[in-house]
Amino acid sequence: MNLVLPLRRGIIFIVSAPSGAGKTTLSRAAVREIGGLTPSVSLTTRRPRNGEVEGIDYRFVSEEDFQRRVDAGQLAEWARVFDACYGTPRQPLDEAIREGRDMLLDIDVQGARSLTARYPDDTVTIFVLPPSFEELEERLRGRGTESEQAIAGRLKRARDEFRAYPQYDYLIVNADLADSLRQLDAIVKAERLRVARLREEIAPWKS
Ligand code: 5GP
């Protein structure tokens, strides 16, 4: 019997949302408040926005560097979103699942689909919606980081992305951050207790 193995596999929690739904704020609060969740740091070819920090918000790389990593099989999934490429490094996910640690990913609908296909037993998907499209538009403008054209593009995409929510395991309507955080906390805690995640072969009550 190998006592070094953890009692359960780690879980990949995937949060997707139309941009402006408050997903980034919610994910950050979840990492801070829920405990035991490691954020995945994606690679992206887009430029950093004001205040974004290399290695924390993203790893900002060139198109060539991104392509090299895709070719080398370093990404668990990747997608082109708004003219830039975004991808999830594979190794941290594999290690977390094996070592019984949980990760939180903030990725788009295409990425969520690829990862659930790749890790069908170890992913939990959560869709976050703003209370209304009007609210979404206000939040996008309020951010003040983007041109009108970029905002229009994000709104159109939000309407398209919205249709994907039936493919997800859970839906959170983010009207109030504290409420949404409590809901996410409940999801995480319940998923950690699922019998299906136990490594049966090492369960101490199994003789
Ligand atoms: P933003 O440019 O606003 O940071 O992100 C744009 C979109 O890309 C968001 O929907 C975000 O969830 C998604 N995204 C960020 N990282 C990844 C990733 O690693 N893979 C995929 N597929 N989407 C990502």
Side-chain angles (χ1 to χ4, degrees):
M1 190 155 88
N2 184 355
L3 289 172
V4 177
L5 276 176
L7 217 49
R8 65 166 177 87
R9 294 190 310 274
I11 308 167
I12 308 301
F13 290 99
I14 300 174
V15 179
S16 302
S19 47
K23 172 187 51 168
T24 310
T25 316
L26 180 61
S27 306
R28 289 208 180 124
V31 168
R32 216 173 41 237
E33 309 281 333
I34 297 176
L37 290 176
T38 307
S40 158
V41 182
S42 296
L43 299 180
T44 183
T45 60
R46 82 153 164 74
R47 298 192 166 282
R49 292 197 193 108
N50 259 349
E52 282 184 330
V53 180
E54 161 68 26
I56 293 188
D57 297 290
Y58 283 104
R59 286 167 61 198
F60 298 96
V61 297
S62 65
E63 292 271 349
E64 298 71 44
D65 193 6
F66 193 94
Q67 192 54 50
R68 201 176 45 74
R69 289 167 194 270
V70 171
D71 295 342
Q74 290 179 11
L75 302 184
E77 65 76 35
W78 70 275
R80 186 170 280 279
V81 187
F82 310 120
D83 298 331
C85 293
Y86 295 81
T88 308
R90 187 170 55 79
Q91 199 180 341
L93 297 190
D94 291 341
E95 285 176 3
I97 293 171
R98 198 171 56 236
E99 293 166 11
R101 289 182 291 103
D102 302 332
M103 296 200 64
L104 187 68
L105 276 60
D106 171 340
I107 63 177
D108 84 328
V109 171
Q110 308 167 69
R113 208 175 286 138
S114 314
L115 286 186
T116 46
R118 185 166 188 151
Y119 303 97
D121 299 331
D122 300 310
T123 39
V124 173
T125 54
I126 302 145
F127 202 76
V128 179
L129 274 182
S132 67
F133 278 105
E134 290 70 32
E135 174 91 18
L136 181 73
E137 191 165 350
E138 253 171 54
R139 288 183 194 176
L140 281 176
R141 285 188 203 292
R143 201 147 77 174
T145 51
E146 265 143 310
S147 67
E148 275 302 309
Q149 199 189 358
I151 290 173
R154 281 180 184 265
L155 275 174
K156 180 181 177 308
R157 193 180 144 83
R159 287 184 188 275
D160 295 342
E161 279 212 334
F162 166 75
R163 298 196 190 97
Y165 82 84
Q167 298 167 27
Y168 281 69
D169 298 320
Y170 296 98
L171 175 66
I172 294 179
V173 177
N174 187 20
D176 174 81
L177 178 64
D179 263 354
S180 302
L181 187 57
R182 272 193 291 276
Q183 290 168 16
L184 189 52
D185 184 55
I187 295 167
V188 169
K189 298 220 161 103
E191 289 289 343
R192 283 176 174 163
L193 298 174
R194 287 179 79 107
V195 168
R197 301 199 191 289
L198 291 173
R199 287 181 197 277
E200 238 200 292
E201 71 277 15
I202 60 159
W205 51 86
K206 216 189 151 203
S207 55

